[in-house]
Amino acid sequence: MSSARTLGELRASPFSENRLGSRRVKDELRDNLMVRLRKNGESPNDAPIFPGIVGYDDTVVPQIVNAILSRHNFILLGLRGQAKSRILRALTTLLDAEMPYIAGCEIHDNPYAPICRRCRDLVAKEKDATPIAWLAAEDRYVEKLATPDVTIADLIGDIDPIKAARGGHELSSEFTVHYGLLPRANRGIFAINELPDLAGKIQVGLFNIMQEGDVQIKGYPIRLPLDLAIVFSANPEDYTARGKIITPLKDRIGSEIRTHYPATVEEGIAITAQEAWTRRDANHHGNPVVPQLHLPAYINEVIERIAFVAREDKKVDKRSGVSQRLPISAMENVVSNAERRALTHQETLVVPRISDIYAALPAITGKLELEYEGEMKGADFVSRELIRAAIAKSYDTHLHGVSMNQIVQWFDLGGEIQLGDNAGAAEVLEGLCQIQGLMEKLTKLNVGPKDSPEVQVSAAEFILEGLHAHKKIGRNEERVFSAGEKQPKAPEKPMFEREEPGFGRKRSFN
Ligand SMILES: [Zn+2]
């Protein structure tokens, strides 16, 4: 890292005038991206193009790469919770680790080509003794959520009468400008989220700065040839609902890139695993020791499938989408409910159960925009239905074709068991072992009698919840499982008819 403190030292450093003098932000992004593309070609797993962006490798990422190679300003279009902001923030990883600028300059002037009056005067006077400061990549990212009340003053600047009075300057002098967000982001990345919400005349101001580097502040023309990579995000549904992007600005946005929700449950699980706060074992500043978390695969799957099922459900508003933040928040609440139970019962292992997902309704209901039919039934009811559908699907992926007749019979003969989400594992396990045929099925979930009670209870409960989701057994509000309502003898689903091969023979040894 260069430690140049003056313009003279900078000239002799790797940040020479030859390299930096005319290099713009978009050149810098392009240069560093080219290096990364080569590395990624050599070892894709060790050198991802955008670290932490999951599920976009074949769709969104190549389009962003092309936009940056083309030195485009670009816009990400997509429904909420599709990692748009995250992608925009990840662009800072393509900036140099540190960038030199003229010390004290509010708009981080290029030492070789200052645009502000103060710095031009300073360099003329101090020459190679002009002091240099350094800016880290993360500090070169400015983000603004567009709202209808954003003004030109916010974005570009304002005449500061106090500055004018103090300095004895003419009001129109450059010295009297109080810079807005855009100039302050000079030589960096400026991101505007939800662009259509920006008033039309502000978009015109934005267009002028992108096009000509010229702006008018309160009638005074000021030339600010800023060096910026401007990126945007927008929700396509807002175009018609709330506002639009003015044509000349749209025309200046080089690439329009569509984002999407994870294409597969596996990708969704990977994103949720990355984003949700589940690694809570940090025992710093005297925190009590947190019990160890064991997260069964079927729990990950059910949580993720809630979002997938919701995105297909006609009671949920399609245009507003179902954010990836739904499974992420749900996961955090699920782990917390399991944590609460483990702490109450002095258990050393936190193992989430399906009942913890029902207990996570507060993290789910608020994230669903409902259609009229859904509104009539209520967010709670709809969410429970979604969870139940997610359980049924996950049950099928793990236990398809496994005969559960013996378990269903046990309930049909009057068996009942209560499995509250607050009940400790040890006490519940005893009851579960009474259900004929249940515990031996846990091997299908890679759980055996040697596993801890917490793990066994969670797996057994998943099977019972799955049977309930498929209407094979009943369950009431108090979480008492019992015989299902007797249905007319309809042809059963294959999964309950087929004895798994070899199983009957093995069972006779039990
Ligand atoms: Zn300056």
Side-chain angles (χ1 to χ4, degrees), residues 38 41 73 95 112 115 162-163 168 179 188 214-215 287 294 304 329 331 342 360 380 389 396 458 461 478 481 489 502:
R38 283 204 190 95
N73 298 310
L95 294 170
Y112 300 114
I115 58 171
I162 296 169
K163 257 191 192 175
Y179 291 115
D214 284 332
V215 282
N287 285 347
H294 172 87
E304 205 57 45
S329 305
M331 173 64 83
D380 253 55
D396 291 347
S458 170
E461 194 215 42
E478 283 73 44
F481 290 87
K489 197 73 186 163

Side-chain angles (χ1 to χ4, degrees), residues 286-299:
N287 285 347
V289 177
V290 179
Q292 199 196 330
L293 173 68
H294 172 87
L295 202 49
Y298 52 84
I299 294 285

Side-chain angles (χ1 to χ4, degrees), residues 200-250:
K201 66 174 186 190
I202 311 300
Q203 293 189 33
V204 172
L206 203 59
F207 163 71
N208 285 339
I209 202 111
M210 284 164 76
Q211 175 81 346
E212 313 284 351
D214 284 332
V215 282
Q216 295 247 333
I217 300 178
K218 294 207 171 141
Y220 298 104
I222 291 193
R223 187 157 163 70
L224 277 178
L226 298 175
D227 173 18
L228 286 166
I230 308 185
V231 288
F232 307 93
S233 76
N235 185 332
E237 291 311 319
D238 293 342
Y239 271 57
T240 44
R242 296 218 293 265
K244 63 181 201 112
I245 302 173
I246 61 163
T247 308
L249 181 60
K250 223 174 165 182

Side-chain angles (χ1 to χ4, degrees), residues 102 104-109 114-120 179:
I102 297 178
C105 178
E106 285 178 290
I107 60 172
H108 308 121
D109 257 326
I115 58 171
C116 90
R117 180 72 184 278
R118 167 203 174 262
C119 292
R120 287 202 305 269
Y179 291 115

